[in-house]
Amino acid sequence: MMKARLTFLGTGTSLGVPIVGCDCRTCSSTDPRDKRLRASAFVEYGGLKILVDVGPDYRTQMLSAGLCSIDAILFTHDHKDHTGGFDDLRAINYVGRQVAEIWCEDIVLQSLKQAYSYIFADDKYPGVSEVSIHLIDENPFIVYPLDRSRRLEWERNTGYRYLLPSGELVPVGNPLDKAERADDPLFEGNCRGIRGNGVEIIPIRGIHGQLPVLGFRFGNIAYITDMSAIPEKEYEKLKNLDHVTINTVSYRHHHSHFSLDEALEVAARIGAGHTWLTHLSHSFPPHEEFSKELKSLCKERRIPSVVLPAYDGLILE
Ligand SMILES: [Zn+2]
Ligand SMILES: [Zn+2]
Ligand SMILES: [Zn+2]
């Protein structure tokens, strides 16, 4: 089985931790592991760089993880804590001069079209994000390395493009432009045809309250967030994992997320080597205390997996 490497870019619930204005024990904790941005993950798999969800903390997350070029962006579902950074994908167009390659379900696309109608307009304002959409469902799909020969549509339409590093606009094809292109490895001509082997990703269907959502399996790691139920047949896709992430927001029953007890039941059922809890809220105690509590709960219930809270920046491999 091909191995993946997953970095948690955000492990917090929709308001993040700390919550603005809250002075509870967890929100006041000085442990950096209690500072949780909105849920997102960066996965390196088969030589590809894959981002799962683009929430409102996207910019901060990309900067702190030192990321720029991304081959594929996957969406789990269309809630704003997972899609709120969509406009900021312009940086991929601007710096990498690439179209952002998005993989999502049709229900997510329809919602993005409503929320960001200007990005999907026929006659776009120059500089508006350029995205390319690949529709998926719960069947396995293949993602490919970023196609670096693709030109930004608005550059073609307007005849202008950004000149880095100044950011000013120059006409495509002027001498200055050509001079820069000659030694720019990202640019068309130098990279045309780079399109190596793709990698297969297995989506996991989940239910988030009433909403169908997707998790994703990358070889030995599965990333599950924002679920309150997993249909029986999907457990087939979750066998023999080194790591799985599972969302929980509270000790109590929640209409659209697993409670802690439910998350532990799912962890026991999947039986991965490690289970990492994510999408955590301030209703859980600070990290150290919560980790100890989970260890004793797992021992008590004989859960065949090491269950721990994830934290921002944690790397699984
Ligand atoms: Zn969420
Ligand atoms: Zn709080
Ligand atoms: Zn959600």
Side-chain angles (χ1 to χ4, degrees), residues 6 18 34-35 70 197 305:
L6 182 146
D34 288 314
K35 312 288 181 211
I70 297 286
N197 294 330
S305 178

Side-chain angles (χ1 to χ4, degrees), residues 77 79 81-82 208 226:
H77 68 301
H79 284 162
D81 55 324
H82 300 258
H208 181 28
D226 291 59

Side-chain angles (χ1 to χ4, degrees), residues 214-225:
L214 291 178
F216 300 102
R217 177 172 184 158
F218 311 89
N220 61 328
I221 301 179
Y223 182 79
I224 284 174
T225 190

Side-chain angles (χ1 to χ4, degrees), residues 6 9 39-43 50-55 72-76 82 214 216 218 223 225:
L6 182 146
L9 300 179
S40 172
F42 171 64
V43 181
I50 301 163
L51 184 67
V52 184
D53 289 333
V54 183
I73 296 164
L74 318 181
F75 281 107
T76 57
H82 300 258
L214 291 178
F216 300 102
F218 311 89
Y223 182 79
T225 190

Side-chain angles (χ1 to χ4, degrees), residues 90-99 122-130 148-164 167-174 177 180-181 184 186-189:
R90 273 181 300 144
I92 290 178
N93 305 151
Y94 182 76
V95 179
R97 297 170 191 149
Q98 297 299 318
V99 176
D122 287 337
D123 188 17
K124 284 207 288 194
Y125 188 80
V128 164
S129 306
E130 288 211 17
R148 301 199 188 283
S149 66
R150 210 149 169 176
R151 291 297 299 272
L152 294 178
E153 198 179 317
W154 77 262
E155 289 185 355
R156 265 200 318 267
N157 292 346
T158 62
Y160 283 84
R161 73 171 185 85
Y162 289 118
L163 174 67
L164 293 181
E168 72 190 282
L169 288 168
V170 297
V172 171
N174 85 356
D177 184 27
E180 179 163 302
R181 283 170 65 172
D184 178 352
L186 282 178
F187 223 69
E188 183 181 37

